[in-house]
């Protein structure tokens, strides 16, 4: 049974979401502050986090950053649930490392479907163990680990999934729309700068080894294994 941590300061909304998640068979835990949510996540790592951005103590964006920088928690997918619904807000949330973004007010049924979809993607990532290598980069799905010349490189769950996709499809061009669909699990309803930003961060983390990720101008990206 997947365990979901709800970090939401609106207690009525948190209660509604918790009720429906439990009815769908999930185990839940709630926190109404950012600090409380981080403490609960560290005490018992969740399988997924539902995160509000407008919290009374710590900004949700900072909570997300701390989750993604924690070696024990960074694999847990995060779905932002926020009243900030402009396209720029959604882009920023995804660029920060969120796995999905749901705008308030929302349909409870839609939220349940989004949660299940994100969990399915997460389960698929942890499915059949795979070891891939390209140039100086080694990727191990069973350990959710990436190494460059033997040194571990810490990636967020999205960065790991993005690199895994490029390595699995080495030498083949992947359009931004395909990457949005296959890595993020969303259709190209948002500006494709999201993909570009993640590629840039991925290259930076990989250092010189990241040069094998080639930009195909006007199309997308491909990984050229030496």
């Amino acid at each position: 049974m997947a365990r979901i941590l709800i970090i939401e300061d609106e207690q009525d909304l948190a209660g509604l979401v918790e009720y429906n998640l439990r009815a769908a068979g999930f185990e839940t835990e709630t926190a109404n502050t950012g600090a409380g949510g981080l403490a609960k996540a560290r005490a018992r790592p969740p399988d997924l986090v539902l995160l509000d951005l407008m919290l009374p103590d710590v900004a949700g964006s900072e909570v997300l950053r701390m989750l993604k920088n924690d070696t024990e928690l960074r694999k847990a997918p995060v779905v932002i649930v926020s009243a900030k619904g402009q396209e720029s807000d959604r882009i920023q949330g995804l660029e920060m490392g969120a796995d999905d973004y749901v705008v308030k007010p929302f349909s409870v049924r839609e939220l349940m479907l989004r949660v299940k979809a994100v969990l399915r993607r997460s389960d698929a990532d942890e499915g059949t163990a795979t070891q891939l290598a390209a140039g100086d980069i080694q990727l191990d799905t069973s350990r959710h680990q990436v190494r460059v010349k033997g040194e571990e490189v810490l990636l967020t769950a999205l960065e790991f999934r993005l690199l895994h996709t490029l390595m699995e499809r080495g030498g083949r061009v992947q359009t931004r729309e395909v990457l949005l669909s296959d890595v993020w699990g969303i259709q190209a309803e948002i500006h494709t700068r999201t993909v570009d930003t993640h590629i840039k961060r991925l290259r930076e983390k990989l250092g010189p080894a990241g040069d094998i990720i080639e930009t195909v101008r006007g199309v997308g990206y491909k990984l050229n294994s030496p």
Side-chain angles (χ1 to χ4, degrees):
M1 182 188 298
R3 198 172 71 83
I4 298 174
L5 173 60
I6 305 162
I7 306 178
E8 169 64 66
D9 67 329
E10 295 181 46
Q11 293 190 10
D12 289 345
L13 179 58
L16 174 66
V17 172
E18 184 174 35
Y19 172 82
N20 281 275
L21 286 170
R22 287 185 173 178
F26 296 107
E27 183 182 347
T28 62
E29 191 169 15
T30 62
N32 56 20
T33 65
L38 286 167
K40 289 187 176 183
R42 287 166 178 153
R44 193 176 172 204
D47 297 302
L48 181 142
V49 178
L50 292 176
L51 175 64
D52 184 20
L53 289 181
M54 301 171 71
L55 297 168
D57 56 343
V58 183
S61 56
E62 180 63 13
V63 174
L64 176 58
R65 186 190 68 78
M66 295 174 77
L67 288 170
K68 293 305 180 182
N69 285 339
D70 189 306
T71 54
E72 296 298 319
L73 300 174
R74 60 190 170 93
K75 286 197 288 184
V78 176
V79 176
I80 290 176
V81 182
S82 175
K84 300 173 74 173
Q86 295 296 318
E87 181 181 8
S88 59
D89 297 318
R90 290 186 291 145
I91 289 170
Q92 185 179 22
L94 293 169
E95 288 177 347
M96 288 188 299
D99 293 78
D100 204 348
Y101 196 111
V102 178
V103 179
K104 299 176 184 177
F106 53 82
S107 154
V108 172
R109 183 169 176 271
E110 179 191 1
L111 180 63
M112 296 299 111
L113 291 173
R114 297 278 193 104
V115 165
K116 290 174 182 177
V118 170
L119 285 171
R120 277 197 304 271
R121 293 204 304 271
S122 181
D123 289 342
D125 289 345
E126 296 178 4
T128 305
T130 305
Q131 293 189 356
L132 300 171
D136 294 325
I137 304 169
Q138 296 86 40
L139 181 146
D140 186 337
T141 58
S142 63
R143 295 177 175 162
H144 204 273
Q145 188 177 75
V146 171
R147 292 183 177 274
V148 173
K149 292 184 176 180
E151 294 294 321
E152 185 174 3
V153 177
L154 297 181
L155 302 181
T156 66
L158 268 173
E159 290 164 348
F160 185 90
R161 197 180 304 135
L162 178 57
L163 179 60
H164 184 212
T165 300
L166 290 170
M167 291 180 73
E168 263 194 330
R169 304 171 186 179
R172 289 179 284 164
V173 177
Q174 304 300 307
T175 67
R176 291 170 174 83
E177 290 73 23
V178 164
L179 290 172
L180 274 174
S181 176
D182 294 354
V183 177
W184 278 261
I186 57 177
Q187 298 305 310
E189 60 186 28
I190 61 173
H191 196 280
T192 50
R193 186 165 61 87
T194 299
V195 177
D196 299 335
T197 300
H198 275 80
I199 290 285
K200 180 174 181 289
R201 289 181 182 168
L202 183 58
R203 283 172 172 157
E204 289 172 352
K205 288 188 177 183
L206 295 173
D211 292 344
I212 64 173
I213 301 174
E214 177 188 343
T215 302
V216 181
R217 215 168 274 284
V219 182
Y221 298 92
K222 69 175 178 176
L223 188 141
N224 288 317
S225 183

